[in-house]
Amino acid sequence: MRGVAPWAVGSVLAFLVTSAAFLLLANLGTDPSEVRLEQRQSAPKSNAPLELALDENQLASFEAAPEQNMSLGVRNGGGDGLSDVNLTVEVYSEDTAAPEGQRQRKTIQALDPGESAEVFFDLDLSPPEAADEYPGPEQPRNIVEIRATTPGGTSAIRTVIFQPG
Amino acid sequence: MQFRKLSKPALAAMLAAFLAVLLGGCAASGEVSISPLPSGERGSELGAGVRPLSHGPGYKGSPAWSLDGERISFTIDGYVVDKPLRGRDTRRWTARDFGAREIEANTGRSMLILGEDDESGGSGSLYRSLPSEDSTEVSEVAPGILTAEQVGEGGAIIAALESGEDESSLLLVRGDEVERTFGDAVEGSVAGISLSPNGRRLAISVAPPGEDAASEIRIFELSDGSESELVSLEEGRQVFGAPQWTEAGIYFVSGTEDGSGGSSSLYRLYRVPNGSGEPESAPGIGSDFAASGIKLSPDGSKLAIIGRLHANSPTNLHILDLAADTLSAATSSEDMDIRNNPRDMSWSPDGESVAIVARSSFSSPRVRSAPADGLLEEFYNLYEVPVGE
C-alpha cells in the first residue's frame, strides 16, 4: 500500500494540470465570447450588413418647424449586394395620447457591397397642436424613427429624439 | 488497508493547487458564463440595483402600487395604466383623453383617480375606475376635489373638497362612496393632507383665503372637526407638497419662490417636534440639504426625500431614518432629472422600495440604435429603487 499515495498525488496533479489548461483556454476566449453573446441577443445576424448614418450637426441645427431637410446615409457593409432597401421615416410626438405622426417611405433599388447612398427626407418637426395642454413639465419631444429593411430580412434602425423647440 | 500519511509539504502543495484551481475556476466561470442581463435587471444611470418599471415615450407620473405590491399603476400623458411589477403587459384603465392628474388609491381591482374638471381651476373630479376587458369607463365619485391622501390599507382616502369660495371640507371616501364628511368647512384651500400616527388627527397644509399657495399648517381633529394652527409661514414662504406626520413630529418642506421660477435649492426640510409649535431644521440631513418631495414609509420609520446634499450636487432620492436621524442616498445619479413632485414618488407596501420618475437630461438631439418603445432614459419613466436594509 506504500505505493498508493504517490499514485494518488500524481492523479490529482494530472487532474489539476488538465483543469488549469481548460481554464486557460476559456479565459483566452473571454472577451470575444461576451461580445458575441451580446450581439446574438440584441441584434439579429441580418442587421450587420446595413448601416445608417446621420449627421448629428445637421440634426442639432433643426428647428421646431416643418420642412427640415434630413440627410440619411445608407451603406451596405456586408459582402453581398442588397436590393430593394426600403427606408421608412416616421415622425411622431412623445405624447402617446396624441394622434399618430407622419410616415415617409423611399426605396434604394440596389446597393453593392461597400456602396453608400444618401437619401433626403423632409421632416415636420412642428410642435403638436395641443402641445400647450400636454401634462408633462415641458412640451413633448419629437421622435424620428428611421428603419431600413430589405426583402431578405436585413434591417437597421435609428431613433432620434429632439428637444422641444 | 493501510495508507501512508502524506508529508506536510505534499499536503500543502495539493491544497494550494486545489484552492488555486477552485478560485481560478470561480473567476473564470464568472467571466465566461454570465450572459447579458435582461432588460429591467441592469443598473441604470440612477445607480446599481435600480430597476426600470416602464419604458418608451410618454410622460409618466403618479406611481401607485397595488395593495399586494404585485402591480404598479401610473399616469401616462393624461391616462392611467397599470402593469405587473416584473412584466411588460400594460393594461389601460381610462380613455386616452381622460385627463388624469393623479392616482389617489390603487387596490389592484379598482382605482380612485383625480381627473380634470370641466370647470377649470385648482380642483378636479374624483373618479373610480373598475376596468373590464372591453371597457375603460369610470364613475364620478365627487367633483371639486383639491387633494387627497390614502389612509389605512384598504384603499380608502381622505379628500379635500372645494366646498365654497375659500372653503374646504374633508371627506372620507371608500370605494365609490363618500362615507362621511368631517366637521365643518375649513377656511382656505387645503393643499396637502397627512394622517397622524394614531389615526385621530390630520396635519393639513392650507392656502389662506385669497392666497394661491399653502402657507399654513393646521391640525384637524377628525372626531369633532375642530382645528388649530400649527405653523404660519412668513409672507412669501410656502409649504411644498403635503406635510408628513411621523412619530417624531411633523415634517414639511418650505421655501420661497425666487424670480427665476422657483429653484428647489431654496427649499428646506423642517420638523415640528411633538408638543412644539416651533419648526426646526430637520435633524440628520445637514444644513445645506435642499429638499423637495417627501413621503413617509408605510411603517412610519423612514422618510423618502428627493433632494440635493447641497446647492451644486445632483438631485437624488435619499432615505432619512427617523429613529436614528441618519440620511442615506438611495440613488447615485449625476445628471438624471428626477421628478421632485411628491406625487411622483411612492413607497411599495412592504417598504422595501420606492418608485420614482426620472429621465436623462440632454440638450442636443439624441440618436439611438433602438426603437423608441424600447428606450428608457430618454423619456420620463418609472424606476424601482431598493431602499431596504
Side-chain angles (χ1 to χ4, degrees):
Chain A
M1 286 294 134
R2 290 174 68 88
V4 171
W7 277 106
V9 171
S11 302
V12 169
L13 283 175
F15 169 74
L16 293 177
V17 169
T18 311
S19 304
F22 275 112
L23 286 169
L24 183 66
L25 287 172
N27 279 326
L28 285 175
T30 295
D31 290 343
S33 71
E34 281 185 347
V35 172
R36 281 200 300 274
L37 279 174
E38 177 77 45
Q39 283 182 339
R40 273 191 215 121
Q41 286 218 346
S42 61
K45 188 181 92 184
S46 58
N47 269 5
L50 206 46
E51 297 166 9
L52 298 178
L54 291 160
D55 180 346
E56 298 205 12
N57 289 329
Q58 182 193 51
L59 296 176
S61 72
F62 284 170
E63 295 173 0
E67 296 180 5
Q68 304 297 305
N69 194 245
M70 181 184 76
S71 155
L72 173 66
V74 185
R75 181 175 180 272
N76 180 356
D80 299 322
L82 295 172
S83 60
D84 295 328
V85 180
N86 292 310
L87 303 169
T88 308
V89 172
E90 202 171 351
V91 182
Y92 55 94
S93 165
E94 171 187 11
D95 182 357
T96 58
E100 291 196 7
Q102 330 125 34
R103 179 179 291 199
Q104 299 172 59
R105 193 168 172 166
K106 292 187 178 179
T107 302
I108 301 171
Q109 298 301 330
L111 268 182
D112 291 333
E115 188 184 2
S116 298
E118 189 174 19
V119 186
F120 293 91
F121 291 88
D122 264 341
L123 308 181
D124 182 354
L125 298 178
S126 310
E129 282 181 15
D132 292 341
E133 297 164 21
Y134 189 58
E138 60 183 23
Q139 290 191 351
R141 295 169 171 180
N142 267 321
I143 298 166
V144 177
E145 208 166 85
I146 304 151
R147 291 174 188 268
T149 56
T150 68
T154 304
S155 65
I157 188 165
R158 290 288 183 278
T159 300
V160 188
I161 303 106
F162 289 91
Q163 284 285 82
Chain B
M1 207 153 62
Q2 235 180 351
F3 292 94
R4 188 180 67 172
K5 279 187 181 174
L6 286 172
S7 65
K8 280 183 183 172
L11 195 63
M14 275 185 65
L15 190 61
F18 179 71
L19 284 174
V21 169
L22 188 68
L23 292 172
C26 287
S29 66
E31 286 181 9
V32 295
S33 67
I34 293 177
S35 55
L37 290 169
S39 173
E41 294 184 10
R42 297 167 198 254
S44 77
E45 288 184 36
L46 291 165
V50 177
R51 285 171 176 266
L53 294 173
S54 65
H55 56 92
Y59 169 57
K60 292 100 180 168
S62 193
W65 304 72
S66 60
L67 294 178
D68 62 8
E70 296 292 320
R71 300 183 70 86
I72 191 151
S73 59
F74 50 96
T75 59
I76 170 168
D77 298 331
Y79 56 97
V80 175
V81 299
D82 85 331
K83 64 180 281 292
L85 209 59
R86 302 285 173 247
R88 300 182 75 156
D89 184 19
T90 301
R91 179 174 59 176
R92 188 155 54 86
W93 285 61
T94 66
R96 283 189 188 273
D97 60 354
F98 177 70
R101 290 186 190 173
E102 298 167 2
I103 300 167
E104 306 297 358
N106 173 15
T107 67
R109 291 191 302 276
S110 67
M111 281 190 219
L112 287 170
I113 302 164
L114 188 62
E116 297 292 344
D117 237 337
D118 288 339
E119 299 166 16
S120 64
S123 66
S125 282
L126 188 67
Y127 298 89
R128 186 177 190 227
S129 175
L130 267 171
S132 60
E133 275 188 15
D134 53 357
S135 170
T136 52
E137 285 188 13
V138 294
S139 56
E140 188 180 66
V141 178
I145 297 298
L146 295 162
T147 187
E149 194 67 28
Q150 187 166 352
V151 289
E153 296 173 350
I157 62 170
I158 290 180
L161 171 77
E162 188 176 34
S163 52
E165 194 175 343
D166 289 326
E167 271 188 2
S168 312
S169 295
L170 292 160
L171 321 169
L172 177 66
V173 179
R174 198 185 303 273
D176 59 358
E177 286 183 6
V178 176
E179 203 167 280
R180 63 173 292 195
T181 302
F182 298 103
D184 296 327
V186 172
E187 196 175 72
S189 186
V190 174
I193 299 168
S194 179
L195 186 67
S196 66
N198 66 13
R200 295 178 188 158
R201 293 184 288 173
L202 301 176
I204 52 176
S205 54
V206 182
E211 292 185 20
D212 293 331
S215 60
E216 293 178 1
I217 297 177
R218 301 181 201 160
I219 303 300
F220 183 90
E221 295 283 347
L222 290 171
S223 58
D224 60 9
S226 62
E227 56 177 304
S228 56
E229 184 182 290
L230 181 71
V231 173
S232 181
L233 300 173
E234 63 193 56
E235 193 175 342
R237 294 184 69 85
Q238 59 179 275
V239 180
F240 183 70
Q244 300 292 300
W245 199 329
T246 76
E247 295 282 2
I250 295 169
Y251 286 76
F252 66 97
V253 175
S254 170
T256 56
E257 292 281 347
D258 69 2
S260 61
S263 164
S264 61
S265 66
L266 299 172
Y267 284 82
R268 298 277 184 257
L269 181 62
Y270 297 90
R271 180 181 74 169
V272 182
N274 289 325
S276 160
E278 287 300 316
E280 61 181 24
S281 288
I285 62 166
S287 57
D288 292 335
F289 192 89
S292 43
I294 56 172
K295 187 78 88 175
L296 188 63
S297 63
D299 67 357
S301 68
K302 296 172 188 164
L303 198 63
I305 309 169
I306 303 284
R308 292 184 275 166
L309 290 174
H310 52 79
N312 297 322
S313 61
T315 300
N316 275 296
L317 172 67
H318 301 264
I319 302 297
L320 178 63
D321 184 316
L322 297 172
D325 284 336
T326 53
L327 189 74
S328 56
T331 60
S332 54
S333 163
E334 288 297 322
D335 60 359
M336 288 283 277
D337 169 17
I338 300 176
R339 296 291 296 150
N340 63 14
N341 187 327
R343 294 291 183 183
D344 289 333
M345 175 168 49
S346 176
W347 281 89
S348 63
D350 62 7
E352 295 290 316
S353 306
V354 177
I356 59 171
V357 177
R359 74 172 176 187
S360 62
S361 305
F362 56 92
S363 51
S364 53
R366 187 169 275 196
V367 181
R368 289 285 180 259
S369 301
D373 192 43
L375 299 177
L376 283 173
E377 277 105 355
E378 284 71 16
F379 308 105
Y380 279 114
N381 272 300
L382 263 63
Y383 294 86
E384 179 189 8
V385 183
V387 296
E389 295 301 333

